[in-house]
Amino acid sequence: MSRTFAIGDIHGAFRALQQVIERIQPTANDRLIFLGDYVDGWSESAETIAYLMELDRRYTCIFLRGNHDAWCETWLGGEPPLDLWLQHGGRATVASYEKLSAEARKEHLAFFHRMRQFYVDEHNRLYIHAGFASMHGPQFERYQYNYMWDRTLWETALALDPRLKPNDARYPRRLRLYDEIFIGHTPTINYGEFDPMHAGNVWNIDTGAGFNGKLTALDLRTKTFIQSDTVQYLYPGEKGRNT
């Protein structure tokens, strides 16, 4: 039986990504959906991207663009690095790319260009890095940076009365558009949770791999999840995005 996994924010934790893939043991029939923020934090962002490119050649993969990926893409494209980006993990990413040739950087940039803003599968499940504001769905989003930055979708789900059913007029219209929604961007460790969080029909799979959490892959059929070791133990002597 084929499986679909949604995989949370990686933030340069190549070793954690390797662990998760080894623990999933994907087959040719499986699908891997990555929710973005592959870079910035731990010291192996370039290695992470190279490994994702390898996975894309071997398996069915979907790659969404996170806000950190957009920063890195702009820099790889020749723009000066933004100070805000450098302050939020970009310095480690720049350092990781110093060892790559110009040709390899071009290949990575092409990979960034192919990333999607959002994805809807055959079961009307939405995958998006952060969220969207339009009541009609992300395809009608007026400000497309919301795909990578919005937190109101998750906050709406968290504040939802669990007794409300989707057919209730008070149930948020944005959430009713999809059977399920899978996001990253806002670490669950912000709420004291080191596992994926579920609110309404929204699943948050960013379990803080960039900080002091783990990298998570969620099996969408069973809702069981596979995690790496705590990432900071995989990178002794590094801070990641911890301050």
Side-chain angles (χ1 to χ4, degrees):
M1 179 179 295
S2 63
R3 301 172 298 171
T4 297
F5 289 94
I7 300 172
D9 303 33
I10 301 168
H11 285 293
F14 171 52
R15 299 170 197 174
L17 176 59
Q18 283 184 307
Q19 280 190 338
V20 165
I21 297 301
E22 289 169 359
R23 292 169 183 178
I24 289 174
Q25 295 187 336
T27 70
N29 295 323
D30 294 335
R31 177 170 49 179
L32 306 175
I33 301 177
F34 295 88
L35 296 174
D37 277 2
Y38 313 112
V39 300
D40 299 349
W42 305 101
S43 61
E44 296 187 294
S45 286
E47 291 85 350
T48 296
I49 296 299
Y51 186 59
L52 292 174
M53 293 166 63
E54 177 186 340
L55 292 176
D56 194 30
R57 290 189 287 266
R58 297 169 57 191
Y59 305 107
T60 300
C61 297
I62 302 292
F63 300 99
L64 303 181
R65 179 181 289 104
N67 55 300
H68 287 266
D69 310 314
W71 278 330
C72 185
E73 181 179 10
T74 299
W75 171 70
L76 283 173
E79 296 294 326
L82 295 174
D83 288 341
L84 182 63
W85 175 51
L86 295 176
Q87 294 166 13
H88 288 274
R91 286 191 180 90
T93 298
V94 170
S96 77
Y97 270 96
E98 288 178 351
K99 63 181 77 72
L100 265 64
S101 67
E103 185 61 32
R105 291 190 185 200
K106 288 181 181 179
E107 292 177 359
H108 283 217
L109 180 59
F111 178 73
F112 277 91
H113 287 342
R114 295 195 298 271
M115 292 177 187
R116 306 188 190 203
Q117 303 284 38
F118 61 90
Y119 174 66
V120 180
D121 72 9
E122 67 277 8
H123 300 292
N124 195 37
R125 298 181 295 207
L126 171 68
Y127 309 83
I128 194 165
H129 177 65
F132 61 97
S134 173
M135 303 297 285
H136 303 288
Q139 64 270 39
F140 297 100
E141 187 62 63
R142 185 172 181 181
Y143 304 106
Q144 294 192 2
Y145 56 75
N146 278 335
Y147 301 145
M148 299 176 290
W149 286 99
D150 177 78
R151 298 191 197 275
T152 66
L153 183 85
W154 176 234
E155 290 183 345
T156 297
L158 284 177
L160 184 64
D161 186 336
R163 295 171 297 180
L164 284 180
K165 303 300 181 184
N167 59 357
D168 192 299
R170 294 168 294 176
Y171 198 89
R173 183 174 175 181
R174 278 188 294 175
L175 305 188
R176 276 187 289 166
L177 293 171
Y178 300 99
D179 289 355
E180 292 181 298
I181 301 172
F182 299 91
I183 64 169
H185 188 54
T186 304
T188 62
I189 59 174
N190 290 359
Y191 308 92
E193 298 287 343
F194 288 82
D195 296 339
M197 292 178 66
H198 181 212
N201 64 340
V202 181
W203 288 84
N204 183 349
I205 310 173
D206 178 2
T207 52
F211 298 95
N212 64 339
K214 303 177 180 181
L215 178 62
T216 295
L218 182 73
D219 184 323
L220 302 195
R221 183 177 61 85
T222 65
K223 297 304 188 293
T224 57
F225 57 90
I226 293 170
Q227 292 185 310
S228 70
D229 298 348
T230 300
V231 178
Q232 64 187 138
Y233 299 146
L234 298 176
Y235 289 91
E238 295 188 24
K239 291 184 177 181
R241 301 192 66 212
N242 299 294
T243 56

